[in-house]
Amino acid sequence: MFKKILIANRGEIACRIIKTARRMGIATVAVYSDADARAPFVQMADEAVHIGPSPAAQSYLIADKIIAACKQTGAEAVHPGYGFLSERTSFAEALAKENIAFIGPPINAIAAMGDKIESKKLALKAGVNVVPGFVGEIDDTEHAVRISAEIGYPVMMKASAGGGGKGMRLAYNEQDVREGFEATKREGLNSFGDDRVFIEKFILNPRHIEIQILGDQHGNILYLNERECSIQRRHQKVVEEAPSPFVTPKMRKAMGEQCVALSRAVGYYSAGTVELIVSGADPSGESFYFLEMNTRLQVEHPVTECITGIDLVEQMIRVAAGEKLAMAQEHIKIDGWAIENRVYAEDPYRGFLPSTGRLTRYRPPVEGWTDDGAENGRRGVDGIRVDDGVYDGGEVSMFYDPMIAKLITWGQTRDEAADLQIAALDRFEIEGLGHNIDFVSAIMQHPRFRSGELTTGFIAEEYPDGFQGAASSPELVKSLAAIAAFVATAEADRARHVNGQLGDTLPPPSRWQVKIADAVHDIEMIDGEMHVDGALFELSMEYDPGDRIIEAEVDGDELAVKITKTRNGFNLSTRGAKHVARVLPGNIAHLAAHMIEKIPPDLSKFLICPMPGLLTTLHVGEGDIVEAGQPLAVVEAMKMENILRAEKTGTVKLVNAKAGDSLAVDAVILEME
């Protein structure tokens, strides 16, 4: 077994690998860029080596720096995690030349399966169903347009070396291809150092199901069941679960055996994932197509660990050291159900725009997962597991992907796992930047999610006009109004005990009017009991001024509410939605009707930067006439390019920024006449 390994990655996956290596008695080496100098994974590792500036292309993507760090520290092996160099053949070859073990598959398997174009050729040769498309290199945009027309729209353009949703664009027509082809090439080059692109038919209403593969260097290859990853946004997975609510035992066996055969054809070992596109319209499950193989550990590997009890990171290390797998296919079982939600630094209330900045407050619902070696320990605390790589006061950088943490829950049933997600998300505190906690909580509550009728179009179909918060029942709003009144009473009671603030004998207000959206509730405390709209209301809770989370019980149901104080009330967040509560003492509430409503200013004449990022392209200048929908600028954030378009026809009056500028959120790029 190895004595020391280096983790050629960052963030939560670096922490994850370090924890298992520590349990196995293996020393660890971290490598880090300028942006990650204070990151938790750097502190956790036994040794850490600085490898360059913040951009990945100048640090984590430079193989020579990783190898130099191995030599400097005496690391015998490298675990690449996911992304960065994890599927780069040249990196594995360079390690082999230096006699450094690669904790991953053999070089020929990475070359054959990690390259989307070559893997499709191999799959075709092996008789595996593949999605119709152009298998070969594309010369330029005009070539891409011709290919797309021959395949038939819609088509998907993908970076050949891509992964993790990067370097992918859906095109419904020729204009989409012309606008997106070059951008796809650039994203592939910037993220993976490879600008090759291929195009394939986009299957409408598909399910994304993947099979986890695990093999050793002695010819043993197993499939560890499937994961359902259909809920995606911009081809980036948001929710993953194991097993899939769609897959039957017969389907599982057929998919698993085919994926094993495909893996065996390239002599695969270590952990790997075969991704399949499955037609949700075919209940037989026979209409599944090979999409690609990820020759690495997946982001969503914890859900497989939860239902199988197998530590995939440990197995990867043992396989790389030459050990045989200690289990056979008949030993692989399914115990319960696991769901993973990716907590991203993005604002769903603003079109899911990336949100970088400092985490002024970070409090997960349970402590970060620790690897104690117990089979059930991989399920976290009471079925709740958090895999993260950030800290309170740390920064989410614009240089890397926007994932803050992974929240994994396990239950005996799918509904139990989903209910645990909702409860845990209500107790997940993140402040300082936008996040998607409300959004993933809304998904967990959505009737279509609960039914299991999932496709990759779920988000676009269920939230066509964007996300405005999960739907809230009148009963929930009434409960929040009661909680707000209780808190207001406690705050007022505290205020009267502050010398000189309210006087010595003035009792706290006992009557309140609470307005949440269009709902108005009159609340009164009578002899220690709460009455809402004249009726007794059963509420059990405790509150001390300054509390950020309230644990309440309403009619026997538990409710966790995040609360912050405003000028005339509170902001309340629970069950996937934010609520603004205006709380006024009953004796003055009627005066609110006389207040003048503030009308927001018209900002339509400004092109405003929707997120912090780099202005890479400015298509217009002062005096140019633009049409509604015309691309005006391109802003890059979190390794993704975002095209900003004109909202209306007009003339450019003033340009306030230039290509190459780093822009803050809401910065004015240009002004229209």
Side-chain angles (χ1 to χ4, degrees):
M1 181 50 64
F2 307 117
K3 294 181 179 179
K4 183 185 291 187
I5 65 173
L6 181 144
I7 296 94
N9 217 297
R10 61 175 301 279
E12 68 86 15
I13 190 58
C15 294
R16 162 74 183 89
I17 296 165
I18 290 169
K19 289 172 183 176
T20 291
R22 180 183 294 165
R23 174 175 57 79
M24 296 175 68
I26 301 171
T28 55
V29 179
V31 291
Y32 65 93
S33 69
D34 290 345
D36 286 332
R38 298 182 179 179
F41 76 93
V42 177
Q43 307 299 320
M44 288 175 60
D46 297 297
E47 299 175 68
V49 179
H50 177 252
I51 56 170
S54 300
Q58 300 175 42
S59 50
Y60 296 107
L61 285 170
I62 300 180
D64 289 346
K65 292 187 175 182
I66 306 297
I67 291 171
C70 288
K71 291 180 178 179
Q72 177 184 331
T73 58
E76 306 159 81
V78 171
H79 197 306
Y82 50 74
F84 294 142
L85 298 171
S86 61
E87 295 178 285
R88 190 77 60 84
T89 309
S90 58
F91 179 55
E93 290 174 338
L95 289 174
K97 287 179 182 178
E98 299 294 339
N99 200 30
I100 300 169
F102 180 70
I103 302 176
I107 294 170
N108 66 296
I110 301 173
M113 305 305 291
D115 185 307
K116 291 183 175 65
I117 292 174
E118 293 303 317
S119 67
K120 286 189 180 300
K121 290 179 180 177
L122 180 66
L124 280 169
K125 186 177 179 181
V128 178
N129 288 339
V130 298
V131 179
F134 181 80
V135 182
E137 293 190 32
I138 301 170
D139 302 327
D140 52 27
T141 300
E142 293 303 323
H143 190 196
V145 169
R146 291 197 303 273
I147 290 168
S148 300
E150 291 170 4
I151 296 172
Y153 293 101
V155 298
M156 179 69 77
M157 297 177 288
K158 295 184 179 181
S160 181
K166 304 295 190 298
M168 299 174 67
R169 269 181 166 72
L170 181 59
Y172 286 96
N173 50 48
E174 180 179 325
Q175 181 182 349
D176 289 347
V177 176
R178 292 188 181 279
E179 287 185 1
F181 180 72
E182 290 297 329
T184 305
K185 289 185 68 173
R186 286 193 299 271
E187 286 181 4
L189 185 63
N190 292 339
S191 294
F192 307 101
D194 186 342
D195 68 353
R196 290 178 302 151
V197 173
F198 74 98
I199 299 176
E200 66 184 13
K201 179 73 175 176
F202 181 72
I203 297 175
L204 296 172
N205 301 320
R207 297 182 82 113
H208 185 127
I209 295 173
E210 59 189 33
I211 300 292
Q212 176 69 56
I213 294 294
L214 180 63
D216 62 24
Q217 299 185 49
H218 305 277
N220 301 303
I221 304 178
L222 313 176
Y223 64 91
L224 308 186
N225 306 315
E226 80 285 350
R227 294 185 288 259
E228 172 89 52
C229 307
S230 295
I231 298 183
Q232 306 176 6
R233 195 188 64 76
R234 292 184 68 175
H235 318 298
Q236 180 83 42
K237 298 167 187 172
V238 178
V239 181
E240 300 104 347
E241 58 182 308
S244 164
F246 181 72
V247 173
T248 64
K250 181 181 177 182
M251 292 164 59
R252 181 174 299 117
K253 187 173 187 292
M255 291 176 178
E257 289 178 351
Q258 182 170 322
C259 294
V260 166
L262 186 63
S263 303
R264 197 176 298 282
V266 291
Y268 199 89
Y269 57 77
S270 192
T273 295
V274 180
E275 301 198 352
L276 305 170
I277 288 292
V278 183
S279 173
D282 182 3
S284 72
E286 295 177 0
S287 300
F288 63 87
Y289 303 93
F290 169 75
L291 185 61
E292 62 181 330
M293 184 171 189
N294 293 316
T295 56
R296 54 169 169 79
L297 191 67
Q298 292 281 88
V299 177
E300 56 272 21
H301 73 273
V303 294
T304 296
E305 295 183 332
C306 285
I307 66 165
T308 63
I310 296 171
D311 186 323
L312 286 169
V313 171
E314 177 183 350
Q315 293 303 317
M316 290 181 75
I317 295 172
R318 292 191 180 281
V319 166
E323 294 186 14
K324 286 185 178 181
L325 292 178
M327 74 287 290
Q329 191 63 57
E330 59 268 22
H331 300 141
I332 309 303
K333 307 298 182 184
I334 296 177
D335 181 12
W337 212 288
I339 299 175
E340 173 180 298
N341 275 307
R342 301 189 188 188
V343 179
Y344 283 131
E346 61 184 15
D347 192 345
Y349 294 99
R350 299 187 61 175
F352 298 95
L353 293 171
S355 179
T356 58
R358 191 163 301 283
L359 287 163
T360 57
R361 187 172 184 83
Y362 177 75
R363 295 285 190 278
V366 297
E367 290 296 320
W369 176 75
T370 56
D371 187 358
D372 63 1
E375 181 177 322
N376 290 341
R378 295 181 193 104
R379 297 169 181 168
V381 180
D382 297 326
I384 300 173
R385 168 176 165 179
V386 175
D387 283 19
D388 58 17
V390 299
Y391 64 99
D392 203 12
E395 188 171 354
V396 176
S397 167
M398 65 178 284
F399 297 104
Y400 314 115
D401 69 63
M403 190 162 65
I404 298 172
K406 301 185 308 197
L407 177 65
I408 305 103
T409 55
W410 177 89
Q412 290 289 348
T413 65
R414 187 169 184 264
D415 281 342
E416 185 180 329
D419 288 342
L420 272 175
Q421 281 281 342
I422 297 166
L425 289 164
D426 280 345
R427 293 162 175 82
F428 210 135
E429 295 183 78
I430 298 177
E431 296 176 12
L433 43 71
H435 56 76
N436 68 336
I437 284 177
D438 284 352
F439 179 62
V440 290
S441 177
I443 291 175
M444 295 294 100
Q445 300 170 61
H446 201 288
R448 181 174 163 188
F449 173 80
R450 291 298 182 124
S451 74
E453 296 298 321
L454 311 178
T455 70
T456 55
F458 177 93
I459 290 175
E461 293 160 8
E462 299 302 326
Y463 303 97
D465 301 319
F467 179 71
Q468 304 302 323
S472 300
S473 67
E475 291 76 19
L476 177 60
V477 172
K478 182 186 289 188
S479 298
L480 293 176
I483 289 170
F486 186 101
V487 173
T489 301
E491 294 280 358
D493 188 53
R494 179 176 184 270
R496 80 186 175 95
H497 287 91
V498 178
N499 187 34
Q501 195 165 349
L502 290 179
D504 296 329
T505 59
L506 187 65
S510 60
R511 290 189 303 113
W512 302 94
Q513 185 185 85
V514 181
K515 183 177 186 295
I516 300 177
D518 296 327
V520 178
H521 294 284
D522 294 309
I523 299 168
E524 187 172 9
M525 300 293 292
I526 303 175
D527 297 329
E529 294 182 327
M530 177 172 286
H531 294 256
V532 178
D533 300 326
L536 183 66
F537 190 84
E538 294 292 334
L539 172 67
S540 175
M541 60 173 280
E542 293 182 1
Y543 174 79
D544 291 321
D547 284 352
R548 294 172 180 268
I549 293 184
I550 292 170
E551 299 277 356
E553 187 175 304
V554 182
D555 290 333
D557 293 329
E558 292 183 359
L559 185 65
V561 182
K562 291 189 280 283
I563 184 168
T564 57
K565 195 172 183 179
T566 63
R567 186 174 182 180
N568 61 355
F570 307 96
N571 288 329
L572 306 169
S573 178
T574 189
R575 300 293 168 92
K578 291 179 170 58
H579 304 269
V580 178
R582 188 197 70 189
V583 186
L584 299 175
N587 62 318
I588 64 170
H590 65 282
L591 299 175
H594 301 286
M595 298 296 291
I596 299 174
E597 184 178 352
K598 185 177 181 181
I599 300 174
D602 179 15
L603 301 176
S604 62
K605 67 178 182 177
F606 298 106
L607 179 67
I608 297 174
C609 187
M611 83 289 280
L614 180 69
L615 180 61
T616 59
T617 308
L618 191 61
H619 293 296
V620 296
E622 292 180 9
D624 288 354
I625 298 174
V626 301
E627 300 293 331
Q630 177 181 335
L632 300 181
V634 177
V635 175
E636 182 182 306
M638 302 282 191
K639 299 189 288 185
M640 299 290 285
E641 291 188 353
N642 302 272
I643 300 174
L644 307 184
R645 303 177 184 273
E647 290 187 12
K648 59 184 181 181
T649 301
T651 303
V652 179
K653 176 183 177 182
L654 184 66
V655 177
N656 294 327
K658 63 182 183 300
D661 286 355
S662 291
L663 303 177
V665 64
D666 293 334
V668 176
I669 299 172
L670 57 85
E671 181 180 350
M672 309 282 289
E673 289 184 347

